[in-house]
Amino acid sequence: MASPALPAELRALEQHRAALLRAAPQRPAAAPTPARAEAFASSNVLVAIESVIKEVLTYFAKGEAAVITLDKRSSWENIWFDDTVGLQMVFDCTVTKVKCENLKSMQRFALILKILSMIYKLVQSNTYATKRDLFYSDTQVFGSQSVLDAIINDISCLLKVPRRYLHILSTARGYIAGDLYYTEEDGTRVNCSCNSTGKGVPDLNTRLMVRKLWDTLHIPVFALVDADPYGIEIMCIYKYGSMSMSFEAHNLTVPIIRWLGLLPSDIQRLNVPKEVLIPLNKRDISKLTILQKRPFIDWQPQWKNEMEIMEKCKMKAEIQALASISSDYLTRVYLPNKIKFGGWI
């Protein structure tokens, strides 16, 4: 019995998927089981924490002020770009020293040790906690959630282990749902594509999930974001990563992501009504300028062209602006045509 014909949109997806697989680097044939990998990672985390504490105690034993040395992740001189991976830390990066006797870093030093202690207990007991749980365990000490979040990232970099092995879960929530299918040779239809909603700047778990979907299923990955500088930045984080998590780029980035929409050029091409467009404000213009200077933009001339269109017209648009054309224009016309005719960049 012949297999049913695929819709044009799904044929386009399958052709894109096949092209991505041909270009994808070869992966190891075998990998340790999740249970063995988790046990090995937990053991490494405990040893790494013990090493940090031992070094601190050695300073004290010598009668010296203790210092914790961290890779400096806030400087572009410590970041290099690889188009197959994304933003990564250089091997011989400059460092920043957190000193226990320095008034400016004393609190940070103490918080690092406190959170190291909490992580040690979590890993040793094989239990988990969210970042929010940790914050509310002592709000007066941490001061704010952002302070705690930054130190957790510092510790992940310090220990040289992926953050997911610290037994600390992200607080933000996204969702992932299957919504497309493709046909196998025997006529069986299976899920082919999923959509992930990270609700703004993607948290670690959402990025891990999107990366896992690509590693496991080798499905095409597209970004549908607002046609504004912050939408573009969100897409760039998924595709190339961020400075703060550049030490873990290999586990988080999805360099095969394509920009499906909403493109600034679509606004002009579709004659989106001017009354639903939003003028760029000073923050938008500043963010757009920063994005245009990122090292990966030279590898994406079409992205650069879209940013120049936005800069020239000085307007931005949310995805919902397409509803001004018709209420179901996004799902009935825009997305099917984009996928069918390869309208991604």
Side-chain angles (χ1 to χ4, degrees), residues 192-229:
C192 169
S193 296
C194 300
N195 72 68
S196 166
T197 299
K199 296 182 180 179
V201 177
D203 67 294
L204 181 70
N205 287 343
T206 306
R207 292 173 63 188
L208 282 170
M209 178 60 76
V210 175
R211 173 62 189 242
K212 186 68 173 179
L213 285 171
W214 161 244
D215 281 341
T216 304
L217 303 177
H218 314 300
I219 56 178
V221 184
F222 300 108
L224 177 65
V225 296
D226 292 333
D228 67 21

Side-chain angles (χ1 to χ4, degrees), residues 1-297:
M1 179 174 148
S3 300
L6 281 174
E9 306 95 280
L10 298 186
R11 285 203 305 272
L13 277 178
E14 270 300 282
Q15 292 169 357
H16 184 50
R17 176 176 181 267
L20 291 173
L21 283 173
R22 288 193 296 270
Q26 295 297 314
R27 294 172 175 81
T33 63
R36 289 184 61 188
E38 185 71 22
F40 179 74
S42 296
S43 176
N44 279 356
V45 170
L46 294 178
V47 170
I49 293 175
E50 289 166 359
S51 177
V52 172
I53 300 304
K54 182 179 178 180
E55 186 175 352
V56 169
L57 292 176
T58 300
Y59 276 110
F60 290 143
K62 294 179 180 179
E64 301 175 0
V67 174
I68 295 176
T69 303
L70 301 171
D71 292 339
K72 191 175 182 180
R73 307 192 314 281
S74 59
S75 173
W76 281 104
E77 68 181 14
N78 288 335
I79 306 295
W80 70 286
F81 172 69
D82 180 341
D83 68 305
T84 64
V85 179
L87 302 174
Q88 302 175 82
M89 295 284 293
V90 299
F91 296 110
D92 55 345
C93 64
T94 58
V95 299
T96 180
K97 295 184 181 296
V98 184
K99 303 176 181 180
C100 70
E101 66 172 6
N102 188 305
L103 290 177
K104 290 184 178 180
S105 62
M106 187 183 300
Q107 183 182 24
R108 188 180 179 195
F109 181 93
L111 289 178
I112 289 174
L113 293 184
K114 179 177 177 65
I115 298 173
L116 280 172
S117 174
M118 299 171 83
I119 292 170
Y120 195 91
K121 291 176 182 177
L122 289 171
V123 175
Q124 193 175 46
S125 61
N126 194 29
T127 55
Y128 292 80
T130 66
K131 293 187 294 184
R132 205 68 176 158
D133 291 334
L134 297 185
F135 174 68
Y136 278 110
S137 70
D138 203 332
T139 56
Q140 290 187 337
V141 169
F142 294 123
S144 71
Q145 185 71 59
S146 60
V147 170
L148 172 66
D149 294 353
I151 291 178
I152 290 172
N153 288 341
D154 285 342
I155 288 175
S156 180
C157 185
L158 171 66
L159 301 181
K160 300 294 188 290
V161 296
R163 208 189 78 188
R164 64 186 183 278
Y165 291 140
L166 302 182
H167 284 225
I168 299 176
L169 307 175
S170 296
T171 305
R173 294 181 179 179
Y175 68 82
I176 296 195
D179 59 358
L180 291 177
Y181 57 82
Y182 73 98
T183 305
E184 299 282 12
E185 290 181 1
D186 63 357
T188 304
R189 291 185 175 186
V190 298
N191 284 338
C192 169
S193 296
C194 300
N195 72 68
S196 166
T197 299
K199 296 182 180 179
V201 177
D203 67 294
L204 181 70
N205 287 343
T206 306
R207 292 173 63 188
L208 282 170
M209 178 60 76
V210 175
R211 173 62 189 242
K212 186 68 173 179
L213 285 171
W214 161 244
D215 281 341
T216 304
L217 303 177
H218 314 300
I219 56 178
V221 184
F222 300 108
L224 177 65
V225 296
D226 292 333
D228 67 21
Y230 290 91
I232 297 172
E233 183 179 47
I234 289 169
M235 175 177 60
C236 291
I237 292 174
Y238 276 110
K239 186 175 179 72
Y240 293 128
S242 61
M243 290 178 68
S244 64
M245 297 297 290
S246 54
F247 60 91
E248 203 181 337
H250 285 85
N251 298 315
L252 295 175
T253 59
V254 188
I256 55 86
I257 284 180
R258 298 293 181 262
W259 189 0
L260 188 64
L262 182 63
L263 304 178
S265 58
D266 289 336
I267 298 172
Q268 299 176 344
R269 179 175 60 85
L270 300 174
N271 291 317
V272 176
K274 291 184 178 180
E275 56 266 24
V276 299
L277 302 181
I278 306 169
L280 294 179
N281 57 38
K282 290 183 179 179
R283 287 183 61 192
D284 293 327
I285 295 171
S286 176
K287 177 62 68 176
L288 188 59
T289 301
I290 291 171
L291 285 171
Q292 289 173 312
K293 294 178 180 178
R294 295 280 166 85
F296 45 74
I297 292 301

